[in-house]
Amino acid sequence: MRKNSIKNTRINGEVLRELSSIIHGEIKDPRINPFTSVVSVEVAPDLKSCKAYISVLGDEKSQQDTIAGLKSAEGYIRRKLAQNINLRNTPEIRFILDQSIEYGVNMSKLIDDVNRQQDN
């Protein structure tokens, strides 16, 4: 199976949807920020591993606490994923902090500041 095959793309989308649902609806860990979103998911072609890119709206401590909470709940998340998605293998999930949304917001603010200064 090629890395970007139609099957792999469909599996990535399904795992992303289920991970989002599990993180928002079923995990009660107080360390996990309520403004946590799953940005993207990359499931390996052999279905053994999965990289989940997580975005957290908040400060640095909140981001680190959320990743720690998700890593501690990894077994529970994997078990729920196995119940909800019928795959040959349930992938082992690695949570990776994705700061692209925060970077985009900061760049937008900088551009707005420059435009304001030019107007004055």
Side-chain angles (χ1 to χ4, degrees):
M1 182 167 63
R2 293 185 327 272
K3 183 174 173 94
N4 291 329
S5 69
I6 294 170
K7 181 180 177 185
N8 200 317
T9 303
R10 200 171 61 237
I11 289 172
N12 287 344
E14 190 66 28
V15 170
L16 178 115
R17 191 172 32 246
E18 284 300 325
L19 268 180
S20 295
S21 167
I22 292 168
I23 289 172
H24 286 290
E26 300 183 27
I27 296 181
K28 306 293 185 223
D29 193 331
R31 293 178 290 182
I32 297 175
N33 191 319
F35 298 110
T36 300
S37 60
V38 181
V39 178
S40 68
V41 171
E42 292 177 8
V43 178
D46 63 354
L47 304 177
K48 297 283 188 191
S49 65
C50 168
K51 293 179 186 175
Y53 294 93
I54 306 294
S55 176
V56 179
L57 186 65
D59 61 344
E60 186 73 28
K61 183 182 181 331
S62 173
Q63 293 173 351
Q64 297 305 321
D65 287 348
T66 298
I67 293 295
L70 289 172
K71 284 183 180 176
S72 71
E74 185 178 335
Y76 174 78
I77 294 171
R78 189 172 179 198
R79 186 170 62 249
K80 293 302 274 183
L81 200 61
Q83 291 173 357
N84 297 340
I85 300 177
N86 186 17
L87 293 175
R88 187 173 354 117
N89 297 317
T90 303
E92 186 175 320
I93 305 166
R94 275 193 17 227
F95 294 103
I96 300 169
L97 187 62
D98 183 22
Q99 297 175 326
S100 62
I101 294 174
E102 183 179 342
Y103 178 77
V105 169
N106 288 336
M107 291 307 281
S108 180
K109 285 180 185 177
L110 291 173
I111 291 170
D112 289 343
D113 290 344
V114 168
N115 287 337
R116 245 184 261 118
Q117 288 174 357
Q118 287 179 349
D119 291 341
N120 292 336

